[in-house]
Amino acid sequence: MSPHPVVQAMIDLSAGAVGGTACVLSGQPLDTAKVKMQTFPTMYRGFVDCVTSTYRQVGMRGLYQGTTPALVANIAENSVLFMSYGFCQQFISFLAGKPKEAALSDVQKACAGSVASIFSSMVLCPTELVKCRLQAMYEMEASGKITKGQNTVWSVMRAVMRTEGPSGFFLGLTTTIAREIPGYFCFFGAYELCRSSFANYMKCEKDDIGVAPIMFSGGFGGACLWLVVYPMDCVKSRIQVMSMSSKQPGFFKTFMAIARAEGVRALYSGLTPTMIRTFPANGALFLGYELSRKLMMRQFDDV
């Protein structure tokens, strides 16, 4: 027995929240290193130097700076993303003229994920802005760009409201959407394609491939996402962090300014910790999502 559409949406939302929590807890220190290297590419010699310097300066706490907004961001983003993903699959199925219960192809699921990312961007942008500012606060103070930093979620939020108003939380929204649409096409497409390959090799259904193949498929999807959208993510981080000290231009002007002044390589600063992080973090994301969703859906199969 299939659940009611509203119940199905709540299942997808809840499973997305479980996956988002698993993603943050397994990859936060590497995400912190990524943001620091994106916003201050000349301050560190590389990934290892960034991690060790942060540990020496601030301790382990420094590597987990921004964990609270990261949890909020990922839970909110993935809840909305996976709930929208379910609705968008139905929409793509309608456009393709498929019967209601017919399975979508991997490419059609990639399209559904791409459309769903527009909705998740709306909740991701404000929370990610707070996270990125907290993660790069030490470097902003050390470089003299700000005189006194904020070290809590609430102090950052108050500063944004005081200096930029509610719209300040949506700085970088255009860049976020521009990153998410192609990124999540690759993310869901690569994930579903990888799962299909495992299912064909193991001669079983995609839902029965097991824990390790799910985690590898999730990591592979994450790697494809970041390889495609990393320069856009770098620009987004710059806009969100540097706007603490001065008004920042839009996406294209910031992109060209970085490329001209620092070279194309600066747009890929922090890619190493991102690629290291993507397999455990996105593997945990999809494992948490698939297992919790299967557990909840099983309640209706037994009815």
Side-chain angles (χ1 to χ4, degrees):
M1 174 182 172
S2 297
H4 187 276
V6 174
V7 176
Q8 181 66 68
M10 294 307 296
I11 288 173
D12 290 335
L13 186 144
S14 302
V18 172
T21 303
C23 180
V24 172
L25 295 179
S26 59
Q28 182 63 15
L30 293 167
D31 183 69
T32 298
K34 179 203 76 160
V35 172
K36 288 176 181 290
M37 292 175 71
Q38 283 179 327
T39 47
F40 294 91
T42 58
M43 190 173 285
Y44 301 105
R45 293 191 300 274
F47 160 56
V48 175
D49 181 48
C50 179
V51 172
T52 54
S53 296
T54 301
Y55 182 76
R56 281 199 306 270
Q57 293 154 358
V58 195
M60 185 60 72
R61 179 175 58 88
L63 293 170
Y64 281 91
Q65 196 71 274
T67 298
T68 300
L71 272 171
V72 174
N74 272 270
I75 290 172
E77 179 197 13
N78 286 295
S79 296
V80 174
L81 176 68
F82 283 104
M83 183 178 70
S84 302
Y85 182 49
F87 286 126
C88 290
Q89 285 187 70
Q90 295 173 23
F91 178 65
I92 295 295
S93 181
F94 171 75
L95 290 181
K98 285 180 171 285
K100 191 173 182 180
E101 300 299 323
L104 296 178
S105 69
D106 293 340
V107 174
Q108 288 170 329
K109 287 185 176 181
C111 291
S114 184
V115 176
S117 70
I118 298 172
F119 301 101
S120 64
S121 297
M122 303 299 176
V123 296
L124 173 66
C125 187
T127 47
E128 194 158 82
L129 178 133
V130 176
K131 173 186 76 75
C132 288
R133 288 190 176 186
L134 275 172
Q135 288 174 321
M137 197 65 71
Y138 176 85
E139 287 77 8
M140 288 294 285
E141 282 190 81
S143 63
K145 294 186 181 295
I146 56 174
T147 53
K148 189 179 186 310
Q150 304 94 30
N151 56 10
T152 68
V153 172
W154 299 115
S155 61
V156 172
M157 291 177 67
R158 283 196 301 270
V160 173
M161 285 296 294
R162 188 173 60 251
T163 59
E164 300 158 77
S167 62
F169 287 104
F170 291 92
L171 281 169
L173 177 61
T174 303
T175 313
T176 301
I177 294 173
R179 177 192 73 175
E180 302 288 82
I181 291 174
Y184 277 96
F185 179 88
C186 297
F187 187 55
F188 281 102
Y191 171 69
E192 294 294 347
L193 183 64
C194 201
R195 278 211 309 159
S196 295
S197 299
F198 275 117
N200 290 335
Y201 178 77
M202 298 165 71
K203 294 181 171 52
C204 65
E205 294 296 319
K206 287 168 74 172
D207 291 339
D208 300 322
I209 58 176
V211 171
I214 287 175
M215 291 195 71
F216 181 85
S217 299
F220 181 68
C224 291
L225 180 151
W226 285 113
L227 286 172
V228 169
V229 306
Y230 197 82
M232 286 181 277
D233 184 69
C234 181
V235 173
K236 178 198 70 67
S237 295
R238 289 284 185 102
I239 291 172
Q240 291 182 325
V241 172
M242 294 302 180
S243 57
M244 279 193 284
S245 60
S246 61
K247 184 174 174 60
Q248 294 297 300
F251 169 67
F252 288 108
K253 286 185 179 178
T254 303
F255 181 91
M256 294 307 297
I258 295 171
R260 278 198 300 265
E262 304 168 46
V264 175
R265 187 175 179 180
L267 292 166
Y268 288 90
S269 184
L271 183 60
T272 299
T274 301
M275 297 307 290
I276 294 172
R277 169 184 173 270
T278 193
F279 272 86
N282 288 294
L285 165 66
F286 273 108
L287 183 65
Y289 168 74
E290 295 287 0
L291 293 184
S292 59
R293 186 177 186 275
K294 185 182 288 188
L295 184 66
M296 287 183 278
M297 289 295 289
R298 193 175 293 158
Q299 309 308 311
F300 293 92
D301 293 338
D302 295 338
V303 174

